[in-house]
Amino acid sequence: QVTKEFIKYTAELTGKENPKICFLPTATGDNQYYINYWYELCSDLKLVPKVMEVWINSSAQKESFEEILLSMDAIIVGGGNTLNMLAIWKAQEIDLALKKAYEQGIVLAGGSAGSLCWFNAGTTDSRPKELTIVNGLGFLNYSHCPHYHSEESRKPLYHKNILDKKLSDGYACDDNSGIVFINGSVYKSVSTDSESFSYYVQEQNGKIVEKELETEIIK
């Protein structure tokens, strides 16, 4: 989840003294409450906060989405409707700009929809009635399951989809835990409390094997 601790840790990952960090609230439809909350969380942190909204018009915004994103030290994506977010990104070519940001070493982060988007696929509540599979940007060639233990249906469905070969092996995270990847490989798992963890989940001989990652507590 995007918390003050999460933002502070993301800022530290940039290695900059006063990094420029852009928040993308696309998944909540650029919700103003979420935007205000972002600035509130950042108010006493050593960083320069920005928000990139997508509900804009040409007269109000003279920079392209790519120009904004590539000028940042880190980009944090908020939670919400993953499917709608990805559709808008594709229409606006924000997905292509994010790929360039990734290739340039800009730190990419997020929670919920904002973590699922970086992986090849996972389950989402973005459609009516039930959890379904959504394809992500594929920067990380694994499947992903956010809200692993906080929502009852997430874990068993994730296991079933891996066993049924609908999803590849991948990584699952509790709400207050996350994983740092460097060049597509796991560097470390971090959590903001001692009860939250991340896991590698894979199929072996027709069964699910779940490995809890060693976790560093961040504050």
Side-chain angles (χ1 to χ4, degrees):
Q1 306 285 35
V2 179
T3 62
K4 180 170 285 193
E5 294 87 357
F6 179 94
I7 298 167
K8 182 172 176 281
Y9 186 74
T10 302
E12 291 169 0
L13 288 176
T14 70
K16 303 284 182 69
E17 182 134 348
N18 202 32
K20 294 179 288 183
I21 302 186
C22 187
F23 178 58
L24 273 60
T26 318
T28 53
D30 290 348
N31 181 278
Q32 193 59 51
Y33 171 82
Y34 211 7
I35 292 170
N36 292 343
Y37 185 54
W38 160 258
Y39 282 117
E40 183 183 319
L41 289 174
C42 294
S43 62
D44 59 352
L45 296 177
K46 288 188 67 178
L47 56 91
V48 180
K50 183 176 176 60
V51 172
M52 192 182 86
E53 299 180 46
V54 297
W55 271 264
I56 52 93
N57 61 63
S58 302
S59 62
Q61 183 170 305
K62 296 304 181 184
E63 287 182 289
S64 71
F65 292 130
E66 181 176 306
E67 286 169 336
I68 293 169
L69 293 173
L70 297 187
S71 70
M72 294 295 140
D73 298 305
I75 297 162
I76 294 179
V77 177
N81 189 302
T82 312
L83 189 71
N84 291 358
M85 175 182 75
L86 290 168
I88 290 166
W89 283 359
K90 186 173 182 180
Q92 295 277 22
E93 297 187 347
I94 292 169
D95 57 337
L96 302 180
L98 287 168
K99 185 68 185 297
K100 288 184 180 180
Y102 178 63
E103 291 167 347
Q104 290 183 21
I106 295 169
V107 175
L108 305 178
S112 192
S115 62
L116 177 54
C117 64
W118 311 120
F119 292 82
N120 61 30
T123 50
T124 178
D125 56 6
S126 300
R127 298 181 177 97
K129 293 182 69 174
E130 59 190 12
L131 294 173
T132 55
I133 290 173
V134 62
N135 292 322
L137 297 174
F139 299 173
L140 299 171
N141 194 26
Y142 307 96
S143 67
H144 179 53
C145 180
H147 312 299
Y148 194 50
H149 284 109
S150 62
E151 297 180 15
E152 196 175 287
S153 58
R154 294 272 183 173
K155 180 174 177 176
L157 181 59
Y158 187 49
H159 290 186
K160 184 177 187 304
N161 281 330
I162 291 175
L163 289 173
D164 292 345
K165 308 297 184 186
K166 292 179 180 177
L167 291 175
S168 66
D169 297 342
Y171 290 90
C173 295
D174 294 335
D175 280 354
N176 295 319
S177 186
I179 304 169
V180 181
F181 288 85
I182 297 178
N183 297 325
S185 299
V186 172
Y187 172 63
K188 66 167 68 171
S189 170
V190 295
S191 300
T192 55
D193 62 52
S194 58
E195 285 80 45
S196 302
F197 298 92
S198 296
Y199 311 83
Y200 181 59
V201 184
Q202 63 179 322
E203 180 271 331
Q204 282 186 356
N205 302 316
K207 294 184 179 180
I208 287 292
V209 177
E210 176 189 281
K211 179 186 177 185
E212 183 180 293
L213 305 183
E214 186 176 339
T215 295
E216 174 186 325
I217 305 296
I218 60 171
K219 295 180 181 179

